[in-house]
Amino acid sequence: MSSDPDTPRHAVVRTPLMGLATLMGRMFAGTGLGPLAQRLIDRASADPEDAEALLDLSSALYLANNPDLARATQEQALAIRRLYSLARPADPPGLRVLAIMAPGEPAANTPVDFLIENSDVALDLYYLVPGRPETPPVDDYDRIFVAVGESDRNAPLLREAEALLAGCTRPVLNAPAHIARLSRDHVFAALHSTPGVVVPATARVGRRALEGIAAQDPAAHTVVEGAEFPIVVRPVGSHAGRGLAKLDAPSALPGYLRTAPGDEFYVMPFVDYRGADGLFRKYRVVLIGGRPYACHMAISDHWMIHYLNAGMGESAAKRAEEARFFARFEEDFARRHHDALRALGEGVALDYFGVDCGETATGELLIFEIDSALIVHALDPVDLYPYKPPQMRKVFDAFRALLGVG
């Protein structure tokens, strides 16, 4: 194992990082994080230099929806060191991979540890910290994977990652410059004319401009050209539906702005994508080396779908449809959208990225989000979702092949 630049070579061997995948696995299994968090606190109290305990505690706090304390705990960990090792799966490992990470909540990075679970890939995480330039030991690894996700906050870190990897002799996956082009407005500008693809016109709009629309200022409407009401609006940088709303008229804007955080918003026209049965369907697909793989399908009677709020666990009929989606993916969904998915792969130009999408009434691929940091996992209970482990094994094997194992 490479020595951490922040740690003397004579330092004692450290406890490996548990990582986000292990912590979320405990949550999905119904095991509370409270006792574990207390053990991590005890470890950090006994050894103030136990950065692994602090970083795992930070992840647990984020999962427990305590972001302020999670952020402070993470900062404390990264002040001690920035290079971390997850538990080694094999000795020797099949491949040594370094993931370049950004500080922040779990959604700030590609959750690489989910993708290499139960494999022989040895994964280290290196965190870039603003204002603390440093060169990680990139040449000690077989592959470098840039896990930093696109966001305003991460933009300088992506530039820093590009600079530090400029002379790297190892293969680099997910070039930072390409990740930086995944903002919602840039995705629209780059891909809206792609045949077979619908990307709703997307504008980045300031709070003051939205207040002008709310005041019925005709000039303000040109700020969101192509976004006639009803519109969908969300704060820039938000995830998991936080602050996301469908507004049917300008009169709905004042109430929305009173509670919505932030000064910048993405605005786009609402596209009614319900099927003939009146239900909405959202698909999560990842492209690995340009090839699409199904990850999940959520079905709901509400337009704003997240897998956890779609009632999949409560409906055998929905799960049966998702199972059919997996079973027929290559000859059905992937074949129908073959040209569109290939064009997305070429336009995005990343080795690995995810697409949240639906289908329009005319059968086109409706893009909700393209992101390299969408979570992909195999944590759902097997008794309810027996069809998921084989499908996710395809995804994980494809990612392992992308890394060059096998």
Side-chain angles (χ1 to χ4, degrees):
M1 170 180 150
S2 304
S3 61
D4 189 326
D6 289 338
T7 304
R9 293 184 181 274
H10 63 270
V12 297
V13 176
R14 303 192 299 267
T15 302
L17 197 69
M18 293 178 64
L20 184 63
T22 298
L23 293 168
M24 279 193 65
R26 292 175 65 93
M27 286 186 61
F28 272 70
T31 305
L33 292 178
L36 173 61
Q38 186 57 56
R39 290 198 295 273
L40 293 169
I41 292 170
D42 292 342
R43 273 177 52 188
S45 298
D47 179 5
E49 296 298 305
D50 191 344
E52 285 76 11
L54 290 167
L55 194 59
D56 277 331
L57 178 59
S58 170
S59 296
L61 289 167
Y62 272 120
L63 293 175
N65 198 27
N66 193 340
D68 293 337
L69 185 55
R71 190 177 304 111
T73 305
Q74 186 183 77
E75 289 173 356
Q76 187 179 352
L78 298 183
I80 299 170
R81 70 176 58 90
R82 294 158 61 181
L83 181 65
Y84 295 82
S85 296
L86 275 77
R88 296 303 193 213
D91 189 16
L95 205 72
R96 293 169 47 78
V97 175
L98 179 67
I100 305 296
M101 308 282 288
E105 62 182 339
N109 298 285
T110 307
V112 186
D113 51 334
F114 285 93
L115 298 166
I116 56 92
E117 268 195 305
N118 301 317
S119 77
D120 58 352
V121 174
L123 178 65
D124 285 1
L125 310 178
Y126 181 80
Y127 284 83
L128 299 169
V129 176
R132 289 181 58 191
E134 189 178 88
T135 302
V138 292
D139 290 334
D140 289 352
Y141 296 87
D142 301 304
R143 300 287 187 275
I144 314 298
F145 186 92
V146 181
V148 179
E150 185 282 324
S151 68
D152 284 6
R153 182 179 180 181
N154 285 352
L157 295 181
L158 286 168
R159 292 191 293 269
E160 183 177 332
E162 187 172 15
L164 73 85
L165 295 174
C168 180
T169 62
R170 303 302 189 189
V172 176
L173 301 174
N174 273 18
H178 294 169
I179 295 172
R181 297 201 294 259
L182 292 182
S183 66
R184 294 174 187 272
D185 49 340
H186 286 169
V187 165
F188 165 69
L191 300 175
H192 72 276
S193 60
T194 303
V197 175
V198 173
V199 185
T202 305
R204 182 166 173 156
V205 182
R207 178 177 288 269
R208 186 166 298 180
L210 290 180
E211 290 171 344
I213 296 173
Q216 302 289 333
D217 179 358
H221 285 269
T222 61
V223 178
V224 285
E225 182 178 354
E228 299 294 330
F229 285 87
I231 63 171
V232 173
V233 58
R234 68 189 309 152
V236 169
S238 65
H239 298 282
R242 292 193 292 270
L244 177 65
K246 172 177 170 284
L247 307 180
D248 293 324
S251 58
L253 273 165
Y256 172 79
L257 292 171
R258 278 194 295 271
T259 59
D263 295 320
E264 296 283 329
F265 301 85
Y266 286 123
V267 177
M268 62 196 71
F270 172 73
V271 177
D272 190 344
Y273 64 102
R274 78 187 76 197
D277 59 358
L279 297 176
F280 297 91
R281 289 165 175 82
K282 187 177 82 169
Y283 310 94
R284 177 159 295 179
V285 176
V286 292
L287 273 76
I288 303 175
R291 182 174 175 177
Y293 295 85
C295 293
H296 71 227
M297 172 192 191
I299 308 166
S300 176
D301 57 3
H302 193 275
W303 68 271
M304 184 168 53
I305 308 177
H306 300 286
Y307 198 86
L308 293 178
N309 71 8
M312 299 296 291
E314 291 73 41
S315 172
K318 289 181 179 181
R319 296 194 302 275
E321 184 173 343
E322 185 182 34
R324 290 193 297 273
F325 169 64
F326 285 163
R328 302 173 184 172
F329 179 77
E330 291 185 4
E331 62 266 23
D332 184 11
F333 189 95
R335 178 171 294 177
R336 284 187 286 110
H337 299 296
H338 175 272
D339 292 346
L341 290 167
R342 182 177 61 183
L344 288 183
E346 294 171 352
V348 174
L350 286 172
D351 303 284
Y352 171 89
F353 66 94
V355 182
D356 275 351
C357 56
E359 293 179 291
T360 67
T362 54
E364 294 174 297
L365 196 67
L366 174 63
I367 303 300
F368 302 132
E369 182 176 12
I370 294 179
D371 195 347
S372 62
L374 295 177
I375 191 166
V376 172
H377 65 76
L379 301 178
D380 295 298
V382 178
D383 57 336
L384 278 181
Y385 304 91
Y387 53 89
K388 283 199 171 184
Q391 177 62 28
M392 298 316 297
R393 178 46 52 195
K394 293 180 184 178
V395 175
F396 300 155
D397 286 348
F399 187 78
R400 188 170 174 272
L402 175 71
L403 294 175
V405 182

